[in-house]
Amino acid sequence: MSEVRVRFAPSPTGFFHIGSARTALFNWLYARHTGGKFILRVEDTDKQRNTEEALRVLLEGMRWLGLDWDEGPDVGGDCGPYFQSERQPIYDEYLARLKDAGRTYEKEGAIWFKLAGERYTTYDEFKQAEVEKVKTQPVVIDDAVRGRVERSEEMDFVIVRKDGSPVFHFVNVVDDIAMGITHVIRGEDHLSNTSKHVELFQAFGATPPVFAHIPLILKQSGPGKMSKRDQGALIEEYAGRGFLPSAVRNYICLLGWSPKDDREKMDIGEIIERFDFPGINRGNARFDEQKLAALNAEYLRELEIGSFTFLVRPILAAKGVITEDEDEDYLQAVLKLAQPKARSLEDLPEYVDYFFQDDYPVDGKVAEKIAKKADPKSLVAEMLPVLEGLAAFDADSIKSALEGHAEAQGQKVFAYFPALRFAVSGQGGGPDLLPMLEVMGRERVLARLRRFIG
RNA sequence: GGCCCUAUAGAUCAAUGGUGAGAUCAUCAGACUUUCAAUCUGAAGAUUCCGGUUCAACUCCGGAUAGGGCUACCA
């Protein structure tokens, strides 16, 4: 029994598209699931777009998602080189084989692949010109995802351009043969190309690999597949937006694959164990930013507070909420309050702003709402001496002091809470009030209360 | 136009030809004896349409409709 060998063959374009990432991920999962090899092959034949920078974005994106390759750039392997731009001698050799077999001809300076079958002339789709078509044996693809698909290739096609460069269909097949690829897992957009590829495999006398065409990722709303301009399309943007690679990876797994038992949040080990072709869907998947965000929030909440702080610090600094040298203990104490309620790291700066800034914004609607019940200034004025007299400024002490005062006034303690919160934060919501006051500390709280009273 | 793929709540996925069609996100409501985007509980919400096969169809077959893809000397 031969080992599974799968590959991801991206073209460095300067960005790492979520669709490519998903293809890479599925190939990687299949290799890890079967104990096979995952090969990274860079299709860098387009010299215009291919730059150092473009390659870096790609490799960094792969690494960020935790997709390590067994053969390819940086790690090498027995079937190199792993850049198509360095494989010209191999393409020459394979082209010669095709030539010797009489399966090529030249026309208008380009080299064409000659299909096997009876030839006849007919008109093109608009009856504009005469074209030569070939009655071929239909290609039957036993697709691991979609089942039996039958398609006939009926026109010869170019395999080497007149400038001498080989085209995608040709190099793709040659490399797959030369690298011993056993399973080709790729987007459904290649399904129609597969008949061309199978024709080539057969012309080389090679057994075609198992094909598995996975559904495409459609944009969140509107028609068509996800394009690089759609929100959430670029992997390299997720890190800066506070997404965790484990969450993004988990979400992308669910785009076109299902474990079939309603489980969604799974660690990668479990996914590897369960990932296989029967679980891959046939219908296209639609990208859902909200669902990704919800999953990310779940991952965020289970992070150790230290890791969470490490992750959030640069984000807060970038927004100017804190300075680079913000006190670690205070920052961590604040984040400990915010983490359980955090929905995304993008909104977090706004959520914790007032812990660090004295000129925080004041929510006008909340001001009105609070003022309706009682004058917040007089409530705060009542509380001020109570808090000033506190020996220890911790949640429990504050609580019993406030309760004692409220009771003496014949009030419920909650009558004071909204005004207090508003006075120290300008907000109507936020972390639990008592621990929040403790974390803010006596000085800050009292100063803000005094300022509030005016 | 030709060829190929797909079709269950607003979205993403489940359901050996026999269930009360299930889960998550989103939405709405209640709770957590302050707030709140977290948490808990609950509610609403779907088999695209028309035929056929069958004792029985979400499931199999055909058609329609809708969505997606390919149709390059791009990859």
Side-chain angles (χ1 to χ4, degrees), chain A residues 23-292:
Chain A
T23 299
L25 176 59
F26 279 22
N27 275 284
W28 180 85
L29 284 171
Y30 192 66
R32 296 294 170 261
H33 175 75
T34 56
K37 292 281 190 285
F38 176 59
I39 295 144
L40 178 60
R41 179 173 81 219
V42 182
E43 306 213 337
D44 59 346
T45 46
D46 186 338
K47 292 180 184 69
Q48 303 301 86
R49 287 192 290 188
N50 173 43
T51 62
E52 281 290 313
E53 169 65 9
L55 181 65
R56 191 186 60 76
V57 169
L58 184 70
L59 299 188
E60 277 186 9
M62 293 280 289
R63 292 191 177 108
W64 187 72
L65 285 173
L67 306 181
D68 56 326
W69 49 97
D70 304 304
E71 293 177 26
D74 298 343
V75 304
D78 295 336
C79 299
Y82 292 91
F83 290 91
Q84 284 190 337
S85 57
E86 298 168 13
R87 296 175 63 80
Q88 191 58 46
I90 297 167
Y91 304 139
D92 290 342
E93 182 195 322
Y94 274 79
L95 182 63
R97 279 172 57 181
L98 233 40
K99 236 176 227 171
D100 293 344
R103 298 300 301 274
T104 65
Y105 61 88
E106 235 181 286
K107 192 172 90 181
E108 292 157 1
I111 298 174
W112 294 65
F113 175 69
K114 192 196 283 178
L115 290 170
E118 193 184 319
R119 276 153 203 275
Y120 61 100
T121 45
T122 181
Y123 291 93
D124 73 356
E125 59 196 77
F126 299 116
K127 302 197 171 179
Q128 302 259 329
E130 271 195 351
V131 290
E132 185 184 68
K133 289 195 175 176
V134 188
K135 191 107 187 107
T136 52
Q137 197 81 318
V139 169
V140 174
I141 304 152
D142 195 13
D143 195 280
V145 173
R146 327 194 84 86
R148 183 192 156 94
V149 177
E150 197 174 307
R151 232 185 92 87
S152 294
E153 209 52 48
E154 47 184 20
M155 283 209 269
D156 295 340
F157 52 92
V158 170
I159 50 176
V160 179
R161 302 183 187 88
K162 65 181 162 216
D163 69 1
S165 60
V167 307
F168 163 73
H169 302 299
F170 178 74
V171 294
N172 199 262
V173 168
V174 167
D175 287 342
D176 283 346
I177 294 172
M179 293 183 177
I181 300 303
T182 59
H183 296 71
V184 170
I185 303 168
R186 53 168 32 161
E188 196 218 77
D189 48 346
H190 286 292
L191 185 55
S192 304
N193 289 329
T194 306
S195 44
K196 278 191 183 72
H197 299 175
V198 170
E199 290 282 2
L200 285 169
F201 276 106
Q202 289 171 346
F204 283 118
T207 306
V210 173
F211 290 98
H213 287 94
I214 61 183
L216 302 180
I217 302 173
L218 268 29
K219 61 179 72 195
Q220 173 129 10
S221 57
K225 55 180 176 175
M226 201 91 169
S227 92
K228 64 177 174 183
R229 301 173 68 181
D230 291 313
Q231 166 88 290
L234 272 29
I235 298 301
E236 62 270 25
E237 288 180 356
Y238 280 107
R241 291 171 58 203
F243 281 87
L244 297 173
S246 51
V248 173
R249 185 176 56 195
N250 192 160
Y251 177 70
I252 296 177
C253 284
L254 266 15
L255 250 21
W257 173 76
S258 164
K260 304 287 183 197
D261 65 354
D262 296 339
R263 300 247 316 139
E264 293 190 330
K265 185 168 178 297
M266 289 173 280
D267 66 52
I268 196 64
E270 184 176 357
I271 293 173
I272 286 170
E273 191 177 313
R274 310 181 62 174
F275 183 88
D276 207 343
F277 295 139
I280 297 178
N281 304 123
R282 284 169 297 278
N284 290 330
R286 197 172 285 278
F287 180 75
D288 186 345
E289 172 106 29
Q290 273 184 322
K291 187 141 186 173
L292 203 206

Side-chain angles (χ1 to χ4, degrees), chain A residues 203-434:
Chain A
F204 283 118
T207 306
V210 173
F211 290 98
H213 287 94
I214 61 183
L216 302 180
I217 302 173
L218 268 29
K219 61 179 72 195
Q220 173 129 10
S221 57
K225 55 180 176 175
M226 201 91 169
S227 92
K228 64 177 174 183
R229 301 173 68 181
D230 291 313
Q231 166 88 290
L234 272 29
I235 298 301
E236 62 270 25
E237 288 180 356
Y238 280 107
R241 291 171 58 203
F243 281 87
L244 297 173
S246 51
V248 173
R249 185 176 56 195
N250 192 160
Y251 177 70
I252 296 177
C253 284
L254 266 15
L255 250 21
W257 173 76
S258 164
K260 304 287 183 197
D261 65 354
D262 296 339
R263 300 247 316 139
E264 293 190 330
K265 185 168 178 297
M266 289 173 280
D267 66 52
I268 196 64
E270 184 176 357
I271 293 173
I272 286 170
E273 191 177 313
R274 310 181 62 174
F275 183 88
D276 207 343
F277 295 139
I280 297 178
N281 304 123
R282 284 169 297 278
N284 290 330
R286 197 172 285 278
F287 180 75
D288 186 345
E289 172 106 29
Q290 273 184 322
K291 187 141 186 173
L292 203 206
L295 195 56
N296 188 55
E298 271 195 72
Y299 276 86
L300 241 26
R301 274 178 237 121
E302 29 177 73
L303 236 40
E304 296 273 327
I305 185 63
S307 316
F308 187 74
T309 307
F310 179 78
L311 197 67
V312 170
R313 177 181 272 280
I315 293 174
L316 295 183
K319 290 272 182 183
V321 170
I322 60 170
T323 55
E324 299 294 341
D325 57 351
E326 178 64 49
D327 180 70
E328 180 72 13
D329 290 343
Y330 182 59
L331 177 61
Q332 187 159 313
V334 170
L335 293 182
K336 207 164 183 173
L337 296 178
Q339 186 187 15
K341 308 213 171 188
R343 185 182 258 210
S344 86
L345 260 28
E346 281 179 301
D347 300 337
L348 201 63
E350 203 181 326
Y351 192 75
V352 300
D353 182 54
Y354 57 79
F355 280 95
F356 307 97
Q357 306 291 326
D358 284 328
D359 59 340
Y360 46 83
V362 171
D363 190 326
K365 279 184 190 162
V366 174
E368 276 178 44
K369 196 175 157 194
I370 292 176
K372 265 186 210 166
K373 288 190 179 166
D375 176 29
K377 284 192 185 183
S378 58
L379 287 176
V380 169
E382 273 182 52
M383 302 306 347
L384 187 54
V386 176
L387 294 176
E388 277 171 335
L390 235 37
F393 207 77
D394 59 73
D396 287 342
S397 307
I398 296 169
K399 187 179 182 211
S400 45
L402 291 183
E403 276 172 352
H405 176 80
E407 205 172 322
Q409 297 295 310
Q411 288 278 352
K412 285 193 296 182
V413 70
F414 309 120
Y416 297 92
F417 275 35
L420 265 181
R421 172 186 295 283
F422 182 67
V424 298
S425 73
Q427 299 298 308
D432 293 343
L433 181 62
L434 271 0

